Amino acid sequence: MRILAISGSARLNSTNTAMLRAIGAIASSDIEVSIFDGVGRLPVFSPDLEGESLPEAVRDFIDVIAKSDGVIIASPEYVRSIPGGLKNAIDWLVSGDEIVHKPIALLHASHRGDDMLAGLRTVLATITDRFAEDIFLRLPLMKLDPAEVLRSIETAENRSRVQAYLHAFSDYSRADAETA
């Protein structure tokens, strides 16, 4: 199972990116988690740049989406909404078919952010027919530095929760692929 984990943050020391890296580090051997932390490096979406004019960074992003078996998204909330960089990344995907049947689930690193999560759920349910709304994990990691995030994820309780989440998403993704 190849999971692409997208961080919705453009921050260098993002809690969400650190959480995704930590989850990748403890994933079981049958689940490969790769991280995309480049939402801040994608150019602003414009339909004029699609097709043959597609920027290389966007082409690379779309390629990693296409090669994954499923996508996990972890994002902060900015002004009670989806961060602009993440929304921009999603906008680059809507004209193609790489995301339409791709299993997607959410992961969240804060006790807050419900407004952003509601908006993101609406967007994801619009762009894919395989949004796994019921597969969700929230970990209280806000304001921890990357080393503290890793230590928190490695605790027995969180490790167990993460493993259950990854396996539930893996099972969902495989079941959907078999019926597609």
Side-chain angles (χ1 to χ4, degrees):
M1 174 76 185
R2 292 173 312 217
I3 295 174
L4 178 64
I6 298 174
S7 175
S9 177
R11 286 185 55 225
L12 182 62
N13 289 315
S14 161
T15 302
N16 287 283
T17 305
M19 175 182 63
L20 294 173
R21 285 192 176 112
I23 286 169
I26 68 162
S28 59
S29 61
D30 61 329
I31 299 174
E32 173 190 326
V33 179
S34 59
I35 311 299
F36 180 80
D37 61 356
V39 297
R41 293 187 297 274
L42 296 175
V44 173
F45 172 73
S46 170
D48 294 338
L49 296 176
E50 292 182 303
E52 291 182 23
S53 300
L54 193 65
E56 184 177 351
V58 175
R59 190 176 319 279
D60 293 345
F61 174 59
I62 291 170
D63 286 347
V64 296
I65 295 273
K67 291 176 183 172
S68 71
D69 297 316
V71 175
I72 291 173
I73 298 175
S75 180
E77 176 184 74
Y78 292 163
V79 195
R80 298 179 64 180
S81 190
I82 303 168
L86 177 58
K87 180 61 170 70
N88 181 60
I90 293 168
D91 288 346
W92 278 112
L93 299 171
V94 298
S95 294
D97 60 2
E98 294 81 8
I99 202 73
V100 174
H101 304 295
K102 191 70 64 176
I104 300 177
L106 294 176
L107 187 60
H108 198 59
S110 176
H111 63 285
R112 355 184 259 217
D114 291 331
D115 291 332
M116 182 279 301
L117 289 168
L120 189 53
R121 285 181 175 108
T122 298
V123 168
L124 296 176
T126 302
I127 65 166
T128 181
D129 58 7
R130 292 186 177 171
F131 175 50
E133 187 166 352
D134 294 337
I135 300 173
F136 176 71
L137 179 60
R138 173 178 255 158
L139 297 165
L141 304 171
M142 195 168 91
K143 300 196 186 240
L144 299 181
D145 67 41
E148 293 169 320
V149 169
L150 179 60
R151 283 193 296 276
S152 179
I153 296 291
E154 289 178 328
T155 65
E157 179 185 353
N158 283 339
R159 180 182 288 268
S160 175
R161 292 175 67 205
V162 166
Q163 294 292 344
Y165 168 83
L166 289 173
H167 282 98
F169 183 60
S170 179
D171 291 346
Y172 171 82
S173 299
R174 286 186 180 121
D176 269 1
E178 291 168 6
T179 60

